[in-house]
Amino acid sequence: MLTSFLNAGKWLWHLYVKRRFPLFAVSTIVSFFALALFGENLSPFPPNQVDLGARFSPPFWQEGGSIAHFLGTDGLGRDILSRIMIGARNSCIVAIFSLFLGGFLGTVIGIVSGYFGGIVDGILMRMGDATIAFPIILLAILLSIILGPSLLNVVAALGLVLWARYARVIRGEVLSLKERDFVALARVAGASDLRIMVKHILPNIYNTLLVLLTLQVGWVIIVEAALSFMGAGLPGPDPVWGSMVAKGRQYVTSAWWVPFMPGMAIAIVCLSFNMLGDWLREVLDPRMRQVE
Amino acid sequence: MKRFIVVRIVQMFVTLILLSVLIFSLIRISGDPAALLLDESATEKDYQLLRVELGLDEPIIAQYFKFISRAAVGDFGLSTNDRVPVLISIGGALPNTARLALTSLVLALSMAVPLGVISAVKKGSVYDHFARVIAGLGQSVPTFWVGLVLIQIFAVNFRILPSSGMETSAHYILPSATLALFMMSGFARLLRSSMLEVLDSEFIKLARIKGVSESSVVWKHALRNSLMSVLSFGGMYIAILMTGTILVETVFAWPGLGRLAYEGIINQDFPLIQGVVLIGGVIVMLSSLLTDILYAYLDPRIRFSG
Amino acid sequence: MTQPLLKVTDLKTQFRTKWGLVKAVDGVSFHVKHGETFGIVGESGSGKSVTSLSIMRLIPQPAGRIVSGAIELDGLNLLELSEKEMRDYRGGKIGMILQDPLSSLNPLFTIGSQIIEGLRIHTSLKGRSLKERAIDLLRRVHIPSPAMRMKDWPHLLSGGMRQRVVGAISISCEPELLIADEPTTALDATIQLQYLNLLKRIQKETRLSIIFVTHDLGAVAYLCHRAAVMYAGRIVETATVKDLFDKPAHPYTIGLLNSMQKVEKKADHIESIKGQPPNLKNLPIGCSFAPRCDQVKDICKEKYPEETELGADHLVRCWVVKKEAVKIK
Amino acid sequence: MKPILDVQKVKKYFPVERGAIFRKVAGQIKAVDNISFSIVPGETLALVGESGCGKSTVGRLILNLLPVTGGTIFFSGIPLEEMDRSQRKIYRSAVQAVFQDPMSSLSPRMRIREIIAEGLVINQSLSRNEIDSKIQQVLDQVGLPQDAIKHYPHEFSGGQRQRIAIARALIVDPKLIILDEAVSALDVSIQAQIVNLLRDLQREFHLSYLFIAHSLGTVRYISDRIGVMYLGSLVEIGPAEEIFTNLHHPYTRALIDAAMPSHPDFVREDVVLAGEVPSALNVPEGCRFNTRCPFAKDVCRQVEPEMFEIGPGHFTACHMLDGAPEAGFFLN
């Protein structure tokens, strides 16, 4: 018991010191998820509570600011900190859904395409290349103007681009894995294609998947924010980081904190995910270059 | 090489057809396209007339070919907002977008090359950490927000640079710097990792064995090979550049395609959006085709094969 | 006795890795005479390649480091040269051939430009004479229609041809010492033989000295005059090739010779060395071969053996060395 | 004795496609071209030749990893393509393989237990206990410690990994094992260990081996018969010692002469076969060796020589029938 405890401690110490474990990034990510789950319970104000008396209250360190409105208020006197805290949920939902959609599709298509090759592979990969080389923002704008801005459209647009990114990287991995002798030996032993894909190939791409997923969280959050900024993102009264920046734009000369704070939140969360992703890549597989 | 280029051109057409089918079917799925074009005050008769005008009474395949043949000659109709032909608006905006994109691309590359190269050569050093933080920031910070911050600092606080429009060359500074920062970080990261890989290769060892100086090893032998792999990601980067340009144009009120798209969204101007998306798509695909041809030409392994 | 061309004394090269310090080369001494081919034989991880890279001072930095020792070429210690001075030696007085012909040429430069690059650094040749010299070099390594090949890209040549081009580069500036690090491992039998014969011929014509690094005792027998056997970062035995095959003294050398599968004669049984190759990260305190040695004594587990001289040019590091020759079955 | 494996006129061509949109077959890579041989129970047949001669492809055809282009492979008298489900199941256990690179042949994400048991799990319905006791048994047979099953492949050295690969093959009671360069990647001292292990296992279980290799030393030590391949085709096949002492084909001579000597006394100066192997896309007319053969006559450039018997069980395909080339035949 004690030894296992000591071992765990040693392992953590090793992680932190020798492998430069990104403590800052991980704590940010943990808080991000906590906010997404319990935002309402933690925020000092309800996000949509209008207080016209406290309009454009600056952050606490500036003259006229108050500790109560820690990061200031917007043009309707809504508390920016609270809105950011609640807004985490939307970012999180978009990230989880689109990564799940894109990641799942991409992994399946990548494995199938790489494993079977031939015409199926040709068609799938040409489609993938086309989606990667197409500016996603145009697609999302189109979707939002035709179908109206909604969570589903944002997730669909992001997932549509993400699958191709996953499929491309994973197919590359599968192509080299399937030439390895253990796949040939599994076939000699009579393993079915499904068994080979699930038992022999899939476990060998877990690392790549993990790194890709982590690195893409940041990307998804940024693109979601960009879509909201353009007015093609999530609608509704609930706070969304991207549209908070967009709506705060007009105050950039008078109340800089209104657009600045939510942008800062996006930046910190994305940076954390990217740092964690980079670290994972370094630790798990330093050769994963195509994962960008 | 011929084969490579033919494949890419075919691929581009396939993509365009896919895109047009997507747009076409989205319009149909979403309901009556006439509803997208007419406002609420339109009468039933207006709808009837428009349906005939749009050919909505014809079979779906015929409608698609009509749509395609119109799009092929650039006929996207009139903007619902200001009644200007969409092609005219796009034609006016396009050169502005190109100017901004090119300025930023040059700026981004001129920052990314030294950053990525030195960072790889001095892997693990203080410089490397610094460069990676810069590159990491560039990828994590939303472009549009950086634009706002730059406006706040240089246009509002110091009043030394204009914040919107494109009248003088000073107007280029903030938008292209914003876009360049974003592009630069991607290039620098990719360049760093491909440099690390190349520097580890046998032919670099052989160059050192020949007595080639370290600067020549890095800037001649290794850089050329690494740039090649950066170039192979050309298509992806051009798509990213386009995305970035649209955002930056919106922030700085730059009269380009992005600005046009933004106005389109605000005004729910369907013909305009449709035109911007299709033209934007074609431009992105043409430029990534050009990068790929350039890549194929520069890499002898592709140039001298099949 | 004349001074040897190359004298390596107590060379130690270490690497810092994730798992700790690895002593890849740990106190290696040998010399190479003018005009001789000196073999360095060893299995993977024995430190033979690190030794050859140390001579070129091309140990990957900053993980690797030459900790101590001296590498004297014509009496001049290479380890005391500045990096700039050392560059004149690389490709100048010392040439080197790497193992993998498929990846040792830069795919983006023509064959010709890669040969000319070295010539331009180390010789005063210019313009046309540069090109002529390069064509001449290709001819010397038996590349057909050399003038046409100059404009070719590496990927258009076969592995054997590419290795010849690397050979041409290595001798382009008339080096005194040529280091060949497993130059034929990736080549087929008949192509390997062509290549080894080419090396032999070049050596006869130019009287250069060759360090031939290999895992193949057969290639040592074919090509070398003297050879050193390496095990776990140290040289365990140095002898003329004849002595090495006729009178091997170190149990490891004997084991290697016994486990050779001979092409000349069908063997009924081949003796193998028991156990696994050593793990450099944690070597035993005494002789590193002790865990696999069948003649191991107590002292072997306590102290690394000192060098014993068995005869002219025959050195061995073993506590149980027999003065009598050991006849190989 | 009835052969366990009979390869009859087997061909494997890989089409080379050209054209951007409409692929058309521009040529054939004749990786294996009309090869026939057989293996009897308990025997080792070695296939030797330079890289690209098709020896590994033959192994993969027998393992059913690639479909044949022509010809038939018989196992215990049954053609491979005519096997029904149950026969195929038997075949999958009866024929096993060990490949060159022990790192590549063990999935890095599987524990040794799972790797060794795979063949059993797929083809036989055994209880966990039965599987465990079988694993224990094979681990003993290949000389691995029992606790190996809990570990992952990267925790073992090259030689141990090759033992794991052998255990994996052995557990399903095979009749024939394809050893594709099974010892080439190992260190010299480990090579001998593995070769000896393979010999011991062969004696104990009466196994047949198809030993695919380029190292003639190992081949001479382990094989009963040898087939020499050049550019997709067998040029000579016969009893091992015949091949080394009474060989007939000039290419066999060249290959043996090119082997490194085991002692400096055996060095023959400058014995060399000129040129390189031509591309399998353009197999020369007539005898495929004629472009490198110093004895090539007109007939060699026009007519492809047929295999014929020059001694008991010793076949060769060469027009030059006047006798075997001496050692040092290619001396220049």
Side-chain angles (χ1 to χ4, degrees):
Chain A
M1 176 64 199
L2 183 70
T3 50
S4 65
F5 189 73
L6 279 178
N7 277 340
K10 231 159 104 187
W11 182 71
L12 281 175
W13 178 248
H14 175 82
L15 267 185
Y16 187 61
V17 175
K18 289 266 171 73
R19 321 284 298 258
R20 297 164 200 252
F21 182 71
L23 194 64
F24 161 77
V26 171
S27 25
T28 313
I29 290 168
V30 170
S31 343
F32 171 68
F33 283 123
L35 284 177
L37 281 174
F38 312 111
E40 296 97 335
N41 310 337
L42 297 172
S43 72
F45 294 91
N48 297 325
Q49 179 181 307
V50 176
D51 177 4
L52 292 176
R55 292 177 66 207
F56 295 125
S57 165
F60 75 95
W61 64 86
Q62 273 206 345
E63 210 187 309
S66 72
I67 289 289
H69 295 294
F70 199 70
L71 298 179
T73 58
D74 64 8
L76 295 171
R78 293 177 295 191
D79 182 51
I80 291 180
L81 177 65
S82 304
R83 290 180 64 76
I84 288 177
M85 288 168 87
I86 309 285
R89 174 170 303 168
N90 279 319
S91 295
C92 193
I93 289 174
V94 171
I96 287 174
F97 278 108
S98 50
L99 284 173
F100 184 78
L101 177 70
F104 181 76
L105 279 179
T107 308
V108 172
I109 290 177
I111 291 182
V112 167
S113 188
Y115 184 77
F116 290 107
I119 283 207
V120 181
D121 176 46
I123 293 172
L124 286 173
M125 282 307 115
R126 292 292 84 76
M127 279 169 62
D129 287 349
T131 27
I132 287 178
F134 191 79
I136 181 209
I137 200 148
L138 289 181
L139 194 73
I141 288 173
L142 192 72
L143 280 174
S144 82
I145 193 106
I146 296 174
L147 305 173
S150 73
L151 174 72
L152 191 69
N153 288 345
V154 172
V155 169
L158 287 170
L160 213 59
V161 176
L162 274 173
W163 80 262
R165 292 182 164 210
Y166 280 89
R168 181 175 170 154
V169 175
I170 284 169
R171 173 180 171 270
E173 296 258 299
V174 174
L175 280 185
S176 76
L177 280 172
K178 79 165 180 182
E179 294 306 316
R180 301 270 292 270
D181 287 335
F182 62 79
V183 172
L185 282 171
R187 230 177 274 161
V188 169
S192 63
D193 289 331
L194 188 67
R195 184 186 162 93
I196 292 173
M197 285 191 273
V198 173
K199 288 223 83 156
H200 292 266
I201 290 181
L202 188 62
N204 285 300
I205 56 178
Y206 282 157
N207 282 353
T208 312
L209 260 177
L210 186 65
V211 173
L212 260 180
L213 274 171
T214 321
L215 283 176
Q216 304 283 19
V217 177
W219 183 84
V220 166
I221 291 178
I222 283 208
V223 176
E224 182 268 324
L227 291 177
S228 302
F229 179 78
M230 291 291 290
L234 304 189
D238 283 342
V240 178
W241 291 354
S243 26
M244 284 169 75
V245 179
K247 287 180 187 136
R249 256 178 82 192
Q250 44 186 310
Y251 311 119
V252 69
T253 48
S254 54
W256 58 269
W257 57 90
V258 180
F260 182 84
M261 295 302 171
M264 196 72 200
I266 301 172
I268 290 172
V269 171
C270 291
L271 189 63
S272 303
F273 275 107
N274 286 344
M275 278 166 70
L276 180 65
D278 279 346
W279 178 78
L280 280 175
R281 172 181 13 209
E282 204 104 313
V283 173
L284 296 176
D285 184 0
R287 290 184 169 276
M288 275 195 293
R289 188 175 58 78
Q290 71 269 52
V291 186
E292 280 296 337
Chain B
M1 168 150 166
K2 226 159 68 193
R3 173 168 171 198
F4 175 82
I5 292 172
V6 174
V7 167
R8 285 292 287 107
I9 291 176
V10 170
Q11 188 185 325
M12 192 183 83
F13 277 104
V14 171
T15 315
L16 277 178
I17 290 169
L18 278 176
L19 181 66
S20 63
V21 170
L22 182 75
I23 293 179
F24 180 78
S25 44
L26 275 175
I27 301 170
R28 290 301 175 274
I29 293 165
S30 65
D32 193 345
L36 283 168
L37 295 175
L38 293 172
D39 52 41
E40 286 152 21
S41 62
T43 60
E44 187 56 33
K45 195 159 178 229
D46 290 340
Y47 274 97
Q48 285 300 342
L49 279 172
L50 190 66
R51 283 205 187 95
V52 176
E53 189 196 319
L54 292 176
L56 294 180
D57 45 350
E58 290 171 41
I60 197 96
I61 299 287
Q63 286 184 39
Y64 174 71
F65 278 107
K66 207 163 184 180
F67 166 77
I68 277 286
S69 49
R70 281 188 173 180
V73 295
D75 178 8
F76 301 105
L78 299 179
S79 148
T80 50
N81 192 38
D82 48 14
R83 286 291 168 192
V84 173
V86 165
L87 197 63
I88 303 265
S89 310
I90 292 177
L94 204 54
N96 299 338
T97 297
R99 274 184 211 125
L100 177 61
L102 280 178
T103 323
S104 327
L105 194 63
V106 171
L107 199 61
L109 278 174
S110 59
M111 290 193 288
V113 169
L115 209 62
V117 169
I118 300 174
S119 172
V121 171
K122 308 212 170 212
K123 186 183 181 231
S125 68
V126 178
Y127 179 87
D128 180 29
H129 283 290
F130 169 75
R132 290 176 74 185
V133 167
I134 296 280
L137 276 176
Q139 283 213 317
S140 312
V141 181
T143 323
F144 53 91
W145 183 71
V146 172
L148 289 179
V149 172
L150 290 182
I151 289 178
Q152 164 73 18
I153 296 173
F154 293 101
V156 179
N157 283 2
F158 295 118
R159 298 177 185 282
I160 46 175
L161 290 169
S163 67
S164 64
M166 55 162 281
E167 289 86 47
T168 66
S169 51
H171 283 89
Y172 277 82
I173 296 177
L174 286 185
S176 51
T178 310
L179 192 48
L181 181 73
F182 170 62
M183 295 299 295
M184 175 275 291
S185 59
F187 285 142
R189 282 166 62 100
L190 190 57
L191 194 59
R192 176 181 183 271
S193 50
S194 66
M195 270 300 271
L196 283 177
E197 200 168 289
V198 171
L199 283 173
D200 210 29
S201 67
E202 289 288 289
F203 62 80
I204 289 298
K205 219 193 234 175
L206 188 74
R208 292 200 174 114
I209 284 167
K210 281 193 284 191
V212 175
S213 70
E214 199 54 30
S215 66
S216 181
V217 165
V218 170
W219 296 101
K220 182 179 162 194
H221 286 264
L223 181 60
R224 205 184 278 199
N225 286 275
S226 320
L227 281 179
M228 212 53 94
S229 59
V230 173
L231 199 57
S232 70
F233 283 84
M236 201 167 117
Y237 275 101
I238 285 181
I240 294 175
L241 180 67
M242 184 65 152
T243 306
T245 314
I246 290 175
L247 289 167
V248 169
E249 283 182 3
T250 313
V251 174
F252 291 96
W254 188 270
L257 275 187
R259 181 78 201 158
L260 222 51
Y262 181 68
E263 279 162 12
I265 299 175
I266 299 293
N267 301 322
Q268 295 285 301
D269 188 340
F270 180 74
L272 184 63
I273 293 287
Q274 181 186 304
V276 170
V277 169
L278 269 174
I279 299 265
V282 170
I283 288 169
V284 164
M285 275 180 272
L286 274 178
S287 1
S288 69
L289 175 68
L290 284 179
T291 16
D292 279 3
I293 291 176
L294 182 71
Y295 169 64
Y297 176 74
L298 288 179
D299 192 332
R301 283 163 296 186
I302 302 180
R303 193 178 353 149
F304 297 101
S305 69
Chain C
M1 204 177 99
T2 52
Q3 205 190 16
L5 172 69
L6 180 83
K7 191 156 179 272
V8 175
T9 324
D10 200 30
L11 177 71
K12 289 186 180 173
T13 305
Q14 304 180 342
F15 288 87
R16 266 175 303 152
T17 69
K18 265 189 225 169
W19 307 277
L21 194 71
V22 169
K23 296 177 178 174
V25 173
D26 197 21
V28 158
S29 305
F30 63 91
H31 64 275
V32 181
K33 297 173 194 165
H34 287 276
E36 86 171 337
T37 304
F38 183 76
I40 300 181
V41 212
E43 300 180 283
S44 50
S46 61
K48 54 190 195 302
S49 287
V50 177
T51 304
S52 63
L53 279 178
S54 299
I55 298 170
M56 290 301 263
R57 280 186 42 193
L58 283 175
I59 296 297
Q61 307 272 354
R65 202 162 68 89
I66 298 175
V67 183
S68 66
I71 299 170
E72 288 161 286
L73 188 75
D74 275 334
L76 184 78
N77 190 351
L78 297 179
L79 295 181
E80 286 166 2
L81 296 179
S82 72
E83 178 57 29
K84 197 167 174 302
E85 289 167 322
M86 187 62 212
R87 269 208 300 274
D88 291 338
Y89 279 82
R90 283 186 210 128
K93 281 193 167 177
I94 314 175
M96 187 168 182
I97 303 168
L98 295 169
Q99 178 173 359
D100 184 2
L102 295 182
S103 62
S104 44
L105 292 171
N106 192 329
L108 301 185
F109 294 87
T110 58
I111 303 290
S113 75
Q114 299 198 46
I115 301 177
I116 286 172
E117 186 176 29
L119 289 171
R120 202 171 263 148
I121 296 169
H122 299 289
T123 65
S124 52
L125 294 174
K126 286 208 172 58
R128 197 188 200 100
S129 49
L130 261 180
K131 204 176 152 197
E132 273 163 16
R133 175 70 170 277
I135 294 174
D136 184 54
L137 280 163
L138 286 178
R139 195 173 294 125
R140 273 177 67 193
V141 295
H142 302 281
I143 290 203
S145 45
M148 273 166 62
R149 289 284 169 229
M150 290 282 286
K151 291 186 215 92
D152 262 347
W153 303 92
H155 72 278
L156 300 171
L157 270 63
S158 73
M161 283 295 161
R162 283 189 233 182
Q163 195 64 318
R164 282 160 190 268
V165 173
V166 176
I169 292 174
S170 73
I171 58 162
S172 61
C173 306
E174 290 163 356
E176 292 175 18
L177 177 67
L178 176 66
I179 303 172
D181 188 354
E182 307 232 24
T184 58
T185 311
L187 304 179
D188 269 321
T190 58
I191 309 297
Q192 170 180 23
L193 196 69
Q194 291 171 5
Y195 202 81
L196 293 181
N197 287 339
L198 183 71
L199 281 181
K200 270 192 178 180
R201 195 168 306 161
I202 286 170
Q203 184 184 40
K204 267 186 200 147
E205 285 164 16
T206 57
R207 298 284 302 150
L208 53 51
S209 304
I210 298 180
I211 295 180
F212 185 77
V213 178
T214 182
H215 66 276
D216 183 359
L217 276 168
V220 171
Y222 189 75
L223 195 70
C224 300
H225 303 112
R226 284 190 315 124
V229 179
M230 282 190 79
Y231 188 81
R234 287 164 165 141
I235 291 182
V236 295
E237 186 163 6
T238 316
T240 60
V241 164
K242 196 144 179 46
D243 278 354
L244 200 69
F245 280 82
D246 286 339
K247 294 185 274 183
H250 197 284
Y252 176 62
T253 317
I254 297 166
L256 271 188
L257 287 167
N258 279 334
S259 51
M260 261 181 107
Q261 295 150 41
K262 300 174 183 63
V263 72
E264 293 89 357
K265 195 166 154 269
K266 185 177 173 82
D268 292 327
H269 180 69
I270 286 174
E271 269 174 47
S272 59
I273 305 176
K274 67 181 183 193
Q276 302 300 322
N279 182 348
L280 287 181
K281 287 150 229 156
N282 93 68
L283 285 176
I285 297 162
C287 173
S288 11
F289 188 61
R292 300 176 73 184
C293 184
D294 47 14
Q295 302 171 49
V296 62
K297 290 180 181 169
D298 286 345
I299 186 169
C300 303
K301 294 174 185 162
E302 287 152 19
K303 237 178 116 194
Y304 194 78
E306 283 152 19
E307 202 163 67
T308 316
E309 193 165 348
L310 290 183
D313 271 341
H314 195 167
L315 301 169
V316 65
R317 279 176 180 275
C318 178
W319 291 122
V320 288
V321 66
K322 297 184 183 112
K323 296 271 178 186
E324 301 289 303
V326 179
K327 190 66 195 159
I328 291 290
K329 280 163 265 177
Chain D
M1 199 160 17
K2 258 192 157 171
I4 183 162
L5 181 83
D6 197 0
V7 173
Q8 284 298 334
K9 298 201 160 104
V10 160
K11 288 183 186 139
K12 180 67 197 176
Y13 296 171
F14 293 101
V16 178
E17 290 174 342
R18 290 268 159 77
I21 312 157
F22 301 105
R23 300 288 177 90
K24 46 182 185 271
V25 176
Q28 305 269 16
I29 292 178
K30 300 186 173 177
V32 173
D33 203 7
N34 227 348
I35 275 196
S36 305
F37 63 84
S38 61
I39 300 177
V40 297
E43 160 187 67
T44 302
L45 172 72
L47 283 183
V48 296
E50 294 175 277
S51 58
C53 71
K55 56 190 194 296
S56 284
T57 310
V58 171
R60 282 174 193 252
L61 290 171
I62 296 169
L63 290 167
N64 222 348
L65 290 171
L66 293 169
V68 293
T69 309
T72 318
I73 297 170
F74 297 88
F75 184 76
S76 301
I78 312 165
L80 223 56
E81 68 262 35
E82 286 170 28
M83 283 185 175
D84 60 29
R85 249 182 111 82
S86 63
Q87 284 169 322
R88 215 164 257 279
K89 209 165 185 178
I90 295 168
Y91 182 73
R92 285 202 301 249
S93 295
V95 180
Q96 288 295 309
V98 177
F99 292 124
Q100 171 171 16
D101 179 3
M103 198 64 232
S104 162
S105 48
L106 308 176
S107 176
R109 289 296 174 124
M110 277 171 136
R111 286 181 203 272
I112 304 306
R113 182 185 186 282
E114 219 183 332
I115 291 175
I116 294 182
E118 183 166 44
L120 283 183
V121 172
I122 294 174
N123 292 312
Q124 298 170 31
S125 42
L126 297 176
S127 72
R128 205 188 151 85
N129 281 341
E130 286 170 306
I131 292 179
D132 280 341
S133 74
K134 277 215 150 196
I135 291 177
Q136 265 178 30
Q137 212 181 328
V138 285
L139 284 177
D140 268 347
Q141 282 155 358
V142 300
L144 281 172
Q146 290 297 337
D147 65 353
I149 52 167
K150 285 178 285 186
H151 296 271
Y152 286 97
H154 70 262
E155 297 170 58
F156 296 89
S157 68
Q160 286 172 313
R161 282 187 215 133
Q162 208 57 317
R163 285 174 197 267
I164 296 169
I166 294 170
R168 181 201 154 94
L170 215 55
I171 200 164
V172 288
D173 301 320
K175 302 272 180 292
L176 167 70
I177 303 185
I178 313 287
L179 300 161
D180 190 352
E181 303 274 11
V183 297
S184 321
L186 304 172
D187 275 327
V188 184
S189 69
I190 306 299
Q191 258 185 27
Q193 285 179 3
I194 300 294
V195 170
N196 284 335
L197 172 69
L198 288 170
R199 264 169 64 125
D200 295 345
L201 292 173
Q202 178 169 46
R203 283 180 195 144
E204 195 175 339
F205 300 108
H206 201 60
L207 297 168
S208 302
Y209 287 153
L210 177 64
F211 193 85
I212 297 166
H214 66 268
S215 151
L216 287 175
T218 318
V219 164
R220 187 164 202 178
Y221 176 52
I222 198 173
S223 42
D224 302 310
R225 285 192 305 132
I226 295 173
V228 182
M229 286 184 73
Y230 185 77
L231 213 52
S233 170
L234 269 176
V235 295
E236 186 157 8
I237 184 166
E241 281 312 288
E242 279 272 300
I243 293 290
F244 278 97
T245 54
N246 191 21
L247 71 159
H248 192 89
H249 200 282
Y251 180 66
T252 313
R253 176 82 272 160
L255 211 53
I256 293 174
D257 283 351
M260 287 291 112
S262 65
H263 191 282
D265 290 349
F266 297 138
V267 173
R268 304 163 308 273
E269 278 300 314
D270 277 5
V271 178
V272 73
L273 174 65
E276 293 189 29
V277 185
S279 155
L281 195 58
N282 279 314
V283 176
E285 289 270 310
C287 172
R288 51 196 71 212
F289 186 57
N290 83 62
T291 53
R292 296 174 82 191
C293 181
F295 279 78
K297 301 183 208 115
D298 283 346
V299 60
C300 302
R301 294 185 193 97
Q302 285 147 13
V303 185
E304 188 170 356
E306 305 234 343
M307 274 279 188
F308 70 99
E309 195 159 10
I310 53 164
H314 185 176
F315 297 81
T316 188
C318 180
H319 289 300
M320 195 183 68
L321 306 172
D322 308 337
E326 296 284 316
F329 173 71
F330 293 100
L331 203 74
N332 19 340

